[in-house]
Amino acid sequence: MLWAGFVFGLLGSFHCVGMCGAIALTLPGRADVGGASLRYVAGRLLYNLGRVTTYAALGAAAGLLGQGLRLAGLQQSLSIASGLLILLLVAVPEPYSARLAAALGLSRPLAWVKNTLTHLFQKEGGWALYATGVLNGLLPCGLVYLALAGALSAPGVAGAALYMACFGLGTLPLMFALSLTGQLVPLRWRMRMRQAVPYVASVLALLFIVRGLGLGIPYLSPRLSAATMQAPATQPRTTHSCH
């Protein structure tokens, strides 16, 4: 399902333009007259790679949670729960993401993130742009929450991190181009693609639910045996004589 993370990020990047476009358009540094310098382009790329780094780290955290649930024999239930969680997040309006963060006690960490971003915008250099991208990935975003819900059912910690990295790479082309060229996509098309995000997320959610149902459909919804769903048993230790 790694391709699903990339496709979701690619289509959801129009949502990113609306939510994080202001940051991408006001990054420090100037292009040379007559075109963008290599340093300028590299700085914009580092900013976007910083976002991908944070998404991968968040994916690893989601993978740890998902791995614990799988070891409890909840592999199929986890896939279904991930799909239902995505549908629930789709139904929650975007402004409520900030309220959710406050309810979870994240107001102070988010205030630190925003203050640090303000400080970084006064700096120049690749390290500052990369750090800006890393912190940008921590800002409340319904699209990221949707992707993390999908990462929960990815196979293992590395699989969840890779899923979120693919999601981040999917957002990279448009966000990178936006940071270079400004208002790349007309507002009308940005609004239309942003409106399409909930529908794309709903299709992704249905895929997770169908996969978790184990309907015996090859690749899409394989039937898992009881042995596959159980955590591997601990092998008994064998003692060796030292004679």
Side-chain angles (χ1 to χ4, degrees):
M1 297 291 286
L2 295 179
W3 59 269
F6 179 82
V7 171
F8 186 52
L10 186 65
L11 296 177
S13 58
F14 289 88
H15 176 277
C16 297
V17 169
M19 297 302 297
C20 303
I23 295 179
L25 289 171
T26 56
L27 290 172
R30 296 182 179 180
D32 293 339
V33 177
S37 67
L38 180 60
R39 183 178 179 181
Y40 179 84
V41 173
R44 267 55 189 167
L45 182 60
L46 283 172
Y47 159 75
N48 284 285
L49 290 178
R51 293 190 305 106
V52 175
T53 300
T54 298
Y55 297 152
L58 292 174
L64 281 172
L65 175 60
Q67 187 176 56
L69 293 173
R70 275 189 296 274
L71 290 175
L74 300 175
Q75 182 174 349
Q76 288 182 288
S77 299
L78 178 59
S79 184
I80 296 173
S82 296
L84 293 176
L85 181 57
I86 291 175
L87 291 177
L88 177 62
L89 290 172
V90 166
V92 175
E94 181 70 30
Y96 284 95
S97 61
R99 296 186 183 181
L100 176 62
L104 295 175
L106 299 178
S107 297
R108 294 184 64 180
L110 287 176
W112 176 84
V113 169
K114 293 177 181 179
N115 291 334
T116 306
L117 281 173
T118 301
H119 176 72
L120 288 172
F121 263 75
Q122 302 171 5
K123 306 291 182 179
E124 291 191 7
W127 70 270
L129 288 168
Y130 178 78
T132 298
V134 169
L135 292 178
N136 187 183
L138 295 174
L139 294 176
C141 176
L143 186 70
V144 175
Y145 299 157
L146 288 170
L148 285 171
L152 277 173
S153 61
V157 176
L162 187 56
Y163 177 92
M164 287 301 296
C166 289
F167 163 77
L169 291 174
T171 68
L172 194 148
L174 184 58
M175 291 297 292
F176 178 56
L178 177 70
S179 64
L180 290 176
T181 61
Q183 299 294 334
L184 179 67
V185 181
L187 178 61
R188 181 180 63 178
W189 284 102
R190 277 185 277 154
M191 292 301 297
R192 288 182 178 179
M193 294 304 297
R194 185 174 176 181
Q195 292 170 353
V197 168
Y199 300 99
V200 176
S202 297
V203 172
L204 179 62
L206 292 176
L207 286 175
F208 280 115
I209 293 173
V210 170
R211 186 179 68 173
L213 290 175
L215 301 176
I217 305 174
Y219 302 106
L220 179 61
S221 183
R223 193 181 305 278
L224 298 179
S225 64
T228 304
M229 295 174 59
Q230 291 177 352
T234 303
Q235 295 295 328
R237 296 184 179 180
T238 58
T239 57
H240 298 277
S241 173
C242 296
H243 295 302

